[in-house]
Amino acid sequence: MRFAEVVGHEHAKDVLLRAATRDRVPHAFLFAGPEGVGKRRMALAFLSYLVCQDRGDGDSCGQCRSCRMVDAGTFADLAVLAPEKGVIKIDNVREATPRLQFEPLVGPWKCLLIDDAHAMTLEAANAALKTLEEPPSRTLFVLVTANPDVLPRTVVSRCVSLHFGSLPTTEVAALVARERGISVAEATDAAALSRGRPGRALRLLDSPLLAERRAFIATFLELADKGPDERLKFSDDVASSKEDAADTAILLESLLQDVLLVAAGRPDAELCNRDMAGPIRTFAEQVGVEGAIAAATAWLDGDALRRYHPDARAAMDRVLLGFR
Ligand SMILES: [Zn+2]
């Protein structure tokens, strides 16, 4: 992974490059920002830069053995911890950390990447903290998370934090088009729905939900006229469908945002689902500003709760009962 393949996040890139060029790399970074914006890519681009055998001015070569191994996920001095069934347990941390004490096999750096670091249990975080307090030399820790507030402060304070924000839709569309070999026009729907997150846009392209987007939105908007029973039935249907709840959540979030924008008097051009602007306006008029805010607030509350308990259906129920 080269820095050139990471779109945006110029500030983070700058900080990392300077640290590497001056050989003053902090031993732990916390990459915080929404899921799918490119945090993990940046971590791999940074590691590639550190271990590249032929690095140029400001980027790794992408061709040497080390670069190719990082890309293939076979770089021996890189350990990746990620949640299994939503959790990173203390045993996972204990298994990953001893090898950091040894000399690097390929070198000159070893790296422990903790993906979705907020999924660490408190015991796991404490075990990680021990290693962070006495880091083996030439070891880089990168903690990647969308929810840094869930991590213990003791862990966060050991890391240099870099914030990753959302990207402009045009940049997301360009990246997705390039990676998938499709036209920018074909990438636009997914890019608009991704709300500035290329990872989400790529995921949406693979989901059957993108094709069903208009039908999903139309059915949802019709619920403004319906009673609680029918609304909850919609929630049941969505929860029992084979589509991933996370994909449905993306659609619902984009729609609620659009309803709020319309209720606030914003023009159609700002909507994620521009092609559905008419029905969205009708819905916003039916539920009113208060109803739109109530539904969006219910979603945000549910979204905050999901960090601790993943239950998309409960969040959706609250949204559906939130508007009159
Ligand atoms: Zn290289």
Side-chain angles (χ1 to χ4, degrees), residues 216-230:
F216 175 90
I217 289 177
T219 313
F220 182 94
L221 294 175
E222 283 166 14
L223 292 172
D225 290 334
K226 308 275 167 65
D229 286 351
E230 274 159 294

Side-chain angles (χ1 to χ4, degrees), residues 21-59:
T21 312
R22 294 179 186 170
D23 200 21
R24 289 180 60 183
V25 178
H27 66 86
F29 280 100
L30 177 69
F31 289 0
E35 155 269 320
V37 289
K39 304 183 294 298
R40 193 186 155 113
R41 271 181 179 232
M42 186 71 92
L44 294 178
F46 186 43
L47 176 64
S48 298
Y49 188 69
L50 290 176
V51 301
C52 177
Q53 291 153 2
D54 189 22
R55 79 183 185 197
D57 190 17
D59 216 337

Side-chain angles (χ1 to χ4, degrees), residues 182-213:
I182 58 177
S183 70
V184 172
E186 285 172 295
T188 300
D189 274 356
L193 280 176
S194 76
R195 295 183 57 210
R197 310 175 191 189
R200 255 192 186 188
L202 288 167
R203 182 194 168 116
L204 274 167
L205 276 181
D206 296 331
S207 162
L209 216 65
L210 195 61
E212 293 160 19
R213 177 183 61 94

Side-chain angles (χ1 to χ4, degrees), residues 36 166-177 182-205 210 213 217 247 249-258 261 268-277 280:
S166 303
L167 302 173
T169 304
T170 45
E171 283 187 14
V172 177
L175 177 145
V176 168
I182 58 177
S183 70
V184 172
E186 285 172 295
T188 300
D189 274 356
L193 280 176
S194 76
R195 295 183 57 210
R197 310 175 191 189
R200 255 192 186 188
L202 288 167
R203 182 194 168 116
L204 274 167
L205 276 181
L210 195 61
R213 177 183 61 94
I217 289 177
D247 294 341
I250 293 172
L251 270 190
L252 191 58
E253 199 178 294
S254 75
L255 176 58
L256 289 172
Q257 179 183 266
D258 286 352
L261 287 172
D268 291 357
E270 292 183 15
L271 306 187
C272 289
N273 301 283
R274 251 168 274 176
D275 53 343
M276 303 287 282
I280 291 172

